[in-house]
């Protein structure tokens, strides 16, 4: 028997094995190349240990492939730790629909500009990080975004008015940063769907734009800022607003004149400078939460609905509120 034959047979089987692996691999080679560059940019963290060149990237942890195109459509790192800045290569995953870095305290630097290239992106979540810099204007170019969360980080500067140009946005979370300036007037002119607005725990100042009266927001949280003046434009009989938190600001308006939608289930106005009395209309609502404490309200608490189901802490530290659950009026 020719000694060359076993060698030739081994080589044939080896080539066949490599070919079969290549043919069976679903992962797009360009996507795999980019992901390995991202892993290298993060200095090969343990959370990305499954990202090995010899394996199919559609099977890697933290990513998913589209079932039809087999292109990487999701990159989500929310456990384990990565360090450094968001690699510029994230912008080279053109089919990405979800990009998430969550609870990554060692993630620093600005929001990566190359993200602007991800035109298919629907969800962008960069939360509980140490990302800094401003909320970039280029985010308004991502017209397919339905969910934008940049909360629990170190973002500074003002909120770009261009975010109102996102036609499919359902929720905007900019809470728990160090943002300053005014709430943009354009937030009363969202093009398309009206998003839930979470802007709490910042240093926003000035008046709430009157333009917000034009839109029907489901949820609004502007708590723990330095907002002044009127907030009555957020409410209205014909709206379907469910949850409003304006607590711990410097708001100053007459609550007696405000008309509330029947859909309202949670209202928090504590620690402001709100005057007037509690409107009878609140007795018509199925309120699950109410707090109007630490204001300048006066008069008898209307009887009915859920208003007497709350304890005194809902109403205390006002100018002269009285009636159950507070002491009776004199």
């Amino acid at each position: 028997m020719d000694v060359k034959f076993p060698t030739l047979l081994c080589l044939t089987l080896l080539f066949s094995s490599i070919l079969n692996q290549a043919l069976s691999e679903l992962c797009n080679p360009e996507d795999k190349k980019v992901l390995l560059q991202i892993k290298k940019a993060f200095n090969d963290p343990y959370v990305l240990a499954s990202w090995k060149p010899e394996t199919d990237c559609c099977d890697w942890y933290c990513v998913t492939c589209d079932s039809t195109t087999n292109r990487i459509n999701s990159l989500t790192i929310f456990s384990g730790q990565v360090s450094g800045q968001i690699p510029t290569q994230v912008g080279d995953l053109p089919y990405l629909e979800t990009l998430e870095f969550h609870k990554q305290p060692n993630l620093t630097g600005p929001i990566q500009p190359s993200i602007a290239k991800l035109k298919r992106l629907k969800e962008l979540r960069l939360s509980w990080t140490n990302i800094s810099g401003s909320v970039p204007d280029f985010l308004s170019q991502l017209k397919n975004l339905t969910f934008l969360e940049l909360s629990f980080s170190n973002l500074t500067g003002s909120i770009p008015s261009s975010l109102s140009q996102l036609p499919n946005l359902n929720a905007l979370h900019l809470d728990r940063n160090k943002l300053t300036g005014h709430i943009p007037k354009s937030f009363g002119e969202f093009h398309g769907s009206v998003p839930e607005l979470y802007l709490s725990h910042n240093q926003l100042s000035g008046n709430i734009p009157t333009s917000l009266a034009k839109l029907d927001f489901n949820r609004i949280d502007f708590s723990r800022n330095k907002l002044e003046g009127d907030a009555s434009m957020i409410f209205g009989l014909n709206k379907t607003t469910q949850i409003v938190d304006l607590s711990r600001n410097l708001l100053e308006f007459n609550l007696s004149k405000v008309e509330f939608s029947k859909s309202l289930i949670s209202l928090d106005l504590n620690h402001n400078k709100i005057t007037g009395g509690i409107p009878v209309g609140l007795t018509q609502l199925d309120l699950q939460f109410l707090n109007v404490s630490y204001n300048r309200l006066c008069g008898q608490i209307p009887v009915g609905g859920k208003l007497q189901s709350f304890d005194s802490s809902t109403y205390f530290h006002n100018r002269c509120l009285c009636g159950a659950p507070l002491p009776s009026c004199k």
Side-chain angles (χ1 to χ4, degrees), residues 234-241 258-263 281 285:
I234 288 170
F235 307 100
L237 277 175
N238 298 322
K239 297 194 177 188
T240 57
T241 308
V258 178
E259 294 183 313
F260 296 95
S261 63
K262 293 286 195 290
S263 55
L285 308 184

Side-chain angles (χ1 to χ4, degrees), residues 179-204:
L179 300 174
T180 54
H182 295 189
I183 296 172
K185 292 178 182 177
S186 65
F187 276 21
E189 299 162 358
F190 273 93
H191 303 194
S193 57
V194 181
E196 297 178 354
L197 283 184
Y198 299 88
L199 308 180
S200 71
H201 295 77
N202 279 292
Q203 298 163 29
L204 300 173

